[in-house]
Amino acid sequence: MTRRVLRWLVPGALAYLIFLGATFPASYALHWLQPSLPGVQLGDISGSIWSGQARQLVFDSVPLGAVSWQFDWRAPWSGSLGYRLSLDGEGTRLGGRVRIGRGGRLVIRDLVGRLPLQRLDHWLPLPPDSVAGLLQLDLTSLIVTNGLPQTAEGSVTLDSASLNWPQAAVLGSYQMQLKTGQGITGEIRDTNGPLALQAQVTLQTDGQYRVNGVLSARDSGSAAAHLLTYLGPPGPDGKYPFDFAGRL
């Protein structure tokens, strides 16, 4: 083979490899990524590993909507595979940057958006359609390893919450500020509504959590005030303390 032939063959082969990489179907790549994404299923996939979409994202058997992705070129510098993702479903709109690392580690940055509280029915310890409201997410950072949150920074807001079980009641709106120290801590406050709430959530890296605080009613005749009786008798100040713990 002459040098002249090699001069054309090598650039041509490189160009072909670049073309294959740029157009590599996302459906093939999903088979490689699936072990790092337990519980995730994608349907009707189109596009490449660099830019594409799936018309249906299902997580833990719950359909969430359509998802699209763009490759995050900054991720390889940290030794991970990363994408800019956006999710659009019925009443749901989320966007952020996700990096997939080793050992089941997910690093999520700049997660912003909203979703109806009813979307979480599958994971709530209540009968279906027991609660309603709108969750607003504004998280600068969230790191999850093997399904357990390790760090979190940002805020979660619940707007216009209401309860349908065990009785109908308007609950109001609340906000939780998250930060990481000795595990993840969240400070919860009401922003408006029939109940006044001050509470703290702590979550350890092994999944152990504790929630404690006090509730009181602004209107003793409201349906929400009646729900407070499930917490037991009030304290001397008329407020209802609560404290419970468990493991995710």
Side-chain angles (χ1 to χ4, degrees):
M1 186 176 294
T2 66
R3 291 184 179 180
R4 185 175 181 180
V5 172
L6 286 174
R7 189 182 307 164
W8 289 102
L9 182 60
V10 173
L14 289 175
Y16 181 67
L17 290 174
I18 292 173
F19 171 78
L20 286 180
T23 59
F24 193 82
S27 56
Y28 292 157
L30 180 62
H31 295 297
W32 299 346
L33 293 175
Q34 196 67 63
S36 299
L37 302 171
V40 175
Q41 295 179 338
L42 297 176
D44 198 2
I45 303 171
S46 61
S48 70
I49 59 174
W50 312 108
S51 177
Q53 64 178 347
R55 292 191 178 181
Q56 187 60 266
L57 166 66
V58 177
F59 178 64
D60 203 12
S61 303
V62 178
L64 298 176
V67 62
S68 60
W69 59 84
Q70 297 283 337
F71 187 75
D72 186 353
W73 292 98
R74 291 181 292 178
W77 296 102
S78 63
S80 59
L81 183 65
Y83 287 88
R84 293 182 179 272
L85 300 179
S86 62
L87 174 67
D88 288 284
E90 185 177 353
T92 302
R93 189 174 185 85
L94 294 172
R97 293 161 40 217
V98 178
R99 296 184 182 182
I100 305 170
R102 297 177 181 176
R105 178 182 172 92
L106 290 180
V107 179
I108 303 171
R109 307 284 188 192
D110 305 324
L111 178 61
V112 178
R114 66 180 187 274
L115 72 158
L117 191 58
Q118 297 92 315
R119 287 280 187 177
L120 304 181
D121 267 354
H122 179 74
W123 299 282
L124 295 176
L126 296 170
D129 300 319
S130 293
V131 292
L134 183 66
L135 274 178
Q136 309 254 18
L137 303 179
D138 188 0
L139 300 177
T140 56
S141 175
L142 174 64
I143 297 178
V144 180
T145 301
N146 296 323
L148 294 175
Q150 306 296 299
T151 69
E153 303 284 343
S155 66
V156 178
T157 302
L158 175 58
D159 287 327
S160 304
S162 61
L163 190 67
N164 299 316
W165 180 92
Q167 67 181 70
V170 174
L171 300 179
S173 300
Y174 306 86
Q175 186 175 73
M176 177 170 61
Q177 294 289 337
L178 292 166
K179 61 182 181 179
T180 302
Q182 296 292 328
I184 300 172
T185 60
E187 297 290 339
I188 308 175
R189 298 286 187 274
D190 65 284
T191 56
N192 66 64
L195 299 178
L197 170 65
Q198 291 183 335
Q200 183 179 66
V201 178
T202 58
L203 175 63
Q204 304 301 323
T205 56
D206 62 356
Q208 293 187 74
Y209 66 85
R210 182 184 179 190
V211 183
N212 63 293
V214 291
L215 273 164
S216 59
R218 293 193 172 94
D219 178 6
S220 59
S222 67
H226 176 71
L227 291 172
L228 296 181
T229 59
Y230 289 99
L231 298 175
D237 57 0
K239 297 180 179 181
Y240 292 81
F242 58 90
D243 191 341
F244 56 92
R247 184 186 291 268
L248 294 179

